[in-house]
Amino acid sequence: MGRHVLPDAHEFSVREAAASVTVPHTWLKAPMESEDIGPWLPEGWVVDKNEAGYLMAVDLTATDPVVPEGYSASVETRDGVDHVRVHDATGEVVAKGQMAVLGQAAVVDRVSTDDAHRRRGLGAFVMRSLTGHAVAQGAVLGVLGATPDGRALYEALGWKVHAPLAACIYKP
């Protein structure tokens, strides 16, 4: 399982990326409408409208985030990817996110908060922590693919929508 995120939504780049995939359940995401990408996909690919979202970006600014009361946080870097996790009083991970810095850009991925712990500032803490680590590594631009549910959090933190984001999965 893997993921390809295309910076441009051109027929050639979509066809080339899709044709290179041999592993089932590999995702391909491109900045375009879901309805438009389908005709460019070879057999075995499915457009998943439930996974469609938004390509968002922001100029990064470090802050000094404070973990909300009653929670603790941990940061770990593995294979060049920073992982921020928020733990409840029992030590259970209840919010998390990850980010990789590629040159001057930071790509944020897999930000989530357990349903029982939402609306407590945990998602904002994760995002601000990731941003701080990105800025410390020289990143100036943040990029992410947002779900419809996550969009409101990111917009509240200053992120802007730049394009729809089509999501396709290889299911031969």
Side-chain angles (χ1 to χ4, degrees):
M1 182 167 138
R3 185 179 337 213
H4 296 273
V5 180
L6 303 179
D8 296 311
H10 300 293
E11 182 175 0
F12 178 77
S13 61
V14 170
R15 287 185 186 276
E16 183 177 51
S20 74
V21 172
T22 58
V23 178
H25 304 289
T26 297
W27 287 93
L28 185 143
K29 296 192 176 190
M32 61 188 305
E33 296 290 346
S34 295
E35 297 78 26
D36 297 333
I37 198 169
W40 298 346
L41 297 171
E43 188 174 327
W45 282 91
V46 177
V47 176
D48 189 336
K49 291 184 180 182
N50 292 329
E51 291 294 323
Y54 309 94
L55 179 62
M56 300 183 78
V58 71
D59 292 331
L60 296 174
T61 303
T63 61
D64 192 17
V66 176
V67 67
E69 189 174 333
Y71 296 92
S72 62
S74 62
V75 179
E76 177 184 12
T77 301
R78 287 190 323 265
D79 299 323
V81 178
D82 294 327
H83 300 264
V84 172
R85 292 183 180 88
V86 178
H87 309 266
D88 67 8
T90 69
E92 193 73 26
V93 175
V94 296
K96 62 186 176 180
Q98 63 187 37
M99 173 209 62
V101 174
L102 307 166
Q104 291 188 318
V107 180
V108 177
D109 191 31
R110 300 188 183 209
V111 175
S112 64
T113 302
D114 289 352
D115 289 342
H117 295 271
R118 290 192 175 174
R119 304 234 176 258
R120 298 180 190 186
L122 303 181
F125 172 81
V126 167
M127 290 297 295
R128 289 183 177 120
S129 295
L130 291 171
T131 297
H133 286 278
V135 170
Q137 294 175 57
V140 296
L141 174 69
V143 180
L144 61 77
T147 63
D149 286 344
R151 179 179 172 175
L153 167 65
Y154 307 130
E155 286 180 329
L157 295 171
W159 291 70
K160 304 286 184 220
V161 172
H162 289 275
L165 194 60
C168 312
I169 187 166
Y170 183 54
K171 293 183 176 182

